[in-house]
Amino acid sequence: MFVRLTARSFYSGLKNVPGRGRAFFAVTKRLQHSQTHLVPSTRPETSSTNSMMDIGSRRIFNEDHDLFRQSVRRFFQEEVVPHHKEWEKAGQVSREVWEKAGEQGLLGLMTPVEHGGIGGDLFSTAITWEEQMYINCSGPGFPLHSDIVMPYIIKYGTKEQLDRFIPKLTAGTCIAAIAMTEPGAGSDLQGLKTYAKKDGSDWILNGNKVFITNGWMADLVLVMAVTNREAKTLAHGISLFLVENGMKGFQKGRKLEKIGLKAQDTAELFFEDVRLPADALLGELNKGFYYVMNELPQERLLISDMAISSCEFMFEETRNYVLQRKAFGKTIAHLQTVQHKLAELKTEICVGRSYVDSCLQLLSERRLDPATASMAKFWTTDLQNKVATQCLQLHGGWGYMWEYPIAKAFVDSRIQPIYGGTNEIMKELIARNIVSQK
């Protein structure tokens, strides 16, 4: 039917075109050929699965991904869940879990084998993001380490830098952080004050950073600093440096006490006359801002995928609760208001999942643009907070108790619209793309 209708409309548009018969025939054959070569996926989408977290769903994955997901799920259940309450009290995870993740091949999945990595695909990496959200344990900073910091070194580092750091980062014996945010510069990276001054062949680094994930445990920090104050714009005068723990003048402040992400170490970092060798510079001088702009779509999609995965977890947790919780002589799942709320939430989550999976496909093909990634980040993290609020409400007073998973998911959700660029900035980037002159 599609071929006939398309061919008919195409033919009507060729009435006055010489050789229209040959053109009509060629297009019709191409349409028929494309239809016969479509291979429909038999994998169900999340809208039709028993649970949104079921293994074997979603067309972007295959059976190999399913096997990998099983092993990742088992790792998080066995090595993370039993220890997470202890880590929440300590304000950090153990170094042992990092090394175990390295042994299991869960760090630096997309790093090419020739550089000491695993050589996996984007979808395998996404599985690790999602499975961490499905256990509701936000402590391990694996995604930032593997899929935000490591790509900078792989893409812009020298052979010596790759040989020195990538194997250790992949093994989990070296923990990485990225230091961009400052007390006076958050989403606006051009407000940076941290400064690196040339001194012979070395650099002298001064400044401080704040809200640094993995900051307390970090062995290696990717630091963004101004290197040319005379540049026509600050974007033309920013560089990236690899700063190692233990360097003289590099101090870590206290672990910051947050309302959520209790087991994730977040710290202030201070640099006072830190002498960096010439090979601490990552990539070209004064190109740092552009490197960051190139990598931000992946960072924002990472946040988006984790956000929608958290939504899926919260929905399933809440569905199980309302099917058991009784009020007025029957489970509250029998109440129409509860049923309609669940219907609304599931619909919005499934819509969000479809968009995120589309973005994952685009990123795997290197076609994800900044505006599209910004849409995913702002939409899904706003949705995450909406789902957290509504699901907690359906738990009633018990949802406010820390022992219930929804309480932890609720406070962990709140940071999502803030880091990785606030959602207000996301809307600015989207709008700029809309109104700019093409």
Side-chain angles (χ1 to χ4, degrees):
M1 176 63 73
F2 170 77
V3 172
R4 290 199 300 271
L5 289 175
T6 305
R8 189 183 305 141
S9 60
F10 180 80
Y11 184 71
S12 66
L14 289 174
K15 286 182 178 178
N16 300 315
V17 178
R20 62 184 182 272
R22 289 191 301 274
F24 166 76
F25 178 76
V27 170
T28 302
K29 292 299 290 182
R30 283 201 298 272
L31 287 168
Q32 291 172 340
H33 179 78
S34 67
Q35 291 293 302
T36 58
H37 281 73
L38 287 176
V39 181
S41 172
T42 58
R43 299 174 69 88
E45 294 301 315
T46 53
S47 58
S48 56
T49 54
N50 292 328
S51 165
M52 290 186 180
M53 302 182 292
D54 277 353
I55 295 175
S57 62
R58 297 161 55 195
R59 75 193 76 176
I60 64 172
F61 297 117
N62 58 39
E63 291 181 357
D64 290 335
H65 292 126
D66 295 342
L67 291 172
F68 180 66
R69 188 183 287 275
Q70 289 174 7
S71 67
V72 175
R73 185 167 294 187
R74 184 166 53 250
F75 173 84
F76 278 112
Q77 288 287 353
E78 295 177 357
E79 303 295 345
V80 176
V81 172
H83 308 289
H84 207 266
K85 287 185 179 179
E86 173 190 337
W87 295 339
E88 288 171 5
K89 294 176 182 177
Q92 66 181 80
V93 303
S94 67
R95 282 195 169 267
E96 288 75 18
V97 77
W98 280 91
E99 293 177 14
K100 287 180 180 179
E103 291 169 3
Q104 292 292 317
L106 302 185
L107 302 177
L109 265 166
M110 288 193 293
T111 305
V113 174
E114 59 268 27
H115 296 319
I118 306 300
D121 64 1
L122 172 68
F123 302 118
S124 298
T125 300
I127 286 170
T128 65
W129 308 339
E130 295 167 8
E131 288 302 317
Q132 185 169 346
M133 292 296 97
Y134 289 166
I135 59 161
N136 199 34
C137 292
S138 55
F142 301 156
L144 180 135
H145 168 100
S146 295
D147 304 307
I148 295 179
V149 179
M150 288 181 70
Y152 282 98
I153 301 174
I154 295 162
K155 293 180 182 179
Y156 311 116
T158 62
K159 183 180 184 304
E160 291 73 20
Q161 289 170 332
L162 268 67
D163 291 344
R164 182 176 180 184
F165 295 114
I166 294 300
K168 294 188 293 184
L169 292 168
T170 304
T173 55
C174 177
I175 299 172
I178 186 167
M180 295 185 186
T181 304
E182 299 180 1
S187 295
D188 180 15
L189 295 178
Q190 297 196 57
L192 292 179
K193 300 298 181 185
T194 298
Y195 180 56
K197 181 180 180 181
K198 192 77 170 172
D199 183 36
S201 62
D202 294 344
W203 294 90
I204 306 298
L205 180 67
N206 281 281
N208 62 300
K209 302 290 185 176
V210 71
F211 310 141
I212 308 305
T213 301
N214 294 346
W216 181 259
M217 299 184 70
D219 303 297
L220 179 69
V221 183
L222 179 60
V223 179
M224 181 183 245
V226 177
T227 44
N228 182 4
R229 287 174 169 167
E230 307 303 320
K232 56 182 180 180
T233 67
L234 200 58
H236 292 84
I238 289 176
S239 301
L240 301 178
F241 293 91
L242 295 170
V243 181
E244 297 178 69
N245 188 33
M247 285 183 163
K248 186 178 180 181
F250 172 29
Q251 298 291 328
K252 297 176 180 178
R254 61 189 173 88
K255 282 182 283 188
L256 299 175
E257 190 173 353
K258 310 178 296 294
I259 64 171
L261 307 180
K262 296 288 189 180
Q264 193 176 101
D265 66 297
T266 308
E268 296 176 281
L269 304 179
F270 301 93
F271 308 97
E272 185 176 351
D273 293 331
V274 179
R275 181 171 291 274
L276 302 174
D279 62 5
L281 177 68
L282 184 68
E284 295 183 41
L285 182 64
N286 298 322
K287 294 289 187 180
F289 184 82
Y290 301 100
Y291 295 155
V292 171
M293 292 301 104
N294 288 338
E295 301 306 314
L296 279 177
Q298 177 166 310
E299 176 181 344
R300 286 166 179 163
L301 182 56
L302 182 159
I303 295 171
S304 179
D305 193 17
M306 295 182 79
I308 203 69
S309 299
S310 176
C311 290
E312 291 164 342
F313 165 80
M314 289 187 286
F315 177 86
E316 296 299 341
E317 190 72 19
T318 303
R319 173 163 64 170
N320 291 337
Y321 179 82
V322 300
L323 287 170
Q324 299 172 18
R325 174 66 170 167
K326 289 188 176 181
F328 310 108
K330 55 186 176 181
T331 64
I332 61 175
H334 283 84
L335 300 174
Q336 189 181 64
T337 52
V338 171
Q339 293 174 3
H340 286 187
K341 179 55 65 180
L342 291 174
E344 292 169 7
L345 291 175
K346 182 171 183 178
T347 301
E348 291 182 275
I349 294 168
C350 289
V351 169
R353 169 52 75 193
S354 294
Y355 186 72
V356 170
D357 281 1
S358 174
C359 289
L360 285 168
Q361 186 69 51
L362 288 173
L363 182 60
S364 73
E365 299 166 358
R366 299 182 181 180
R367 296 194 297 123
L368 182 66
D369 61 84
T372 302
S374 297
M375 292 178 197
K377 196 270 181 183
F378 113 73
W379 170 262
T380 56
T381 56
D382 273 5
L383 178 62
Q384 182 182 6
N385 277 267
K386 176 182 178 180
V387 171
T389 299
Q390 297 290 351
C391 286
L392 190 150
Q393 184 72 20
L394 289 173
H395 278 72
W398 292 112
Y400 201 64
M401 298 297 105
W402 190 250
E403 64 192 87
Y404 276 72
I406 194 64
K408 184 164 63 175
F410 177 83
V411 293
D412 284 354
S413 296
R414 191 59 192 88
I415 189 60
Q416 293 279 82
I418 298 173
Y419 61 18
T422 66
N423 282 5
E424 289 74 21
I425 294 296
M426 296 303 99
K427 294 173 187 178
E428 284 289 325
L429 296 173
I430 298 163
R432 190 181 304 165
N433 188 63
I434 295 170
V435 301
S436 63
Q437 297 295 322
K438 300 295 184 182

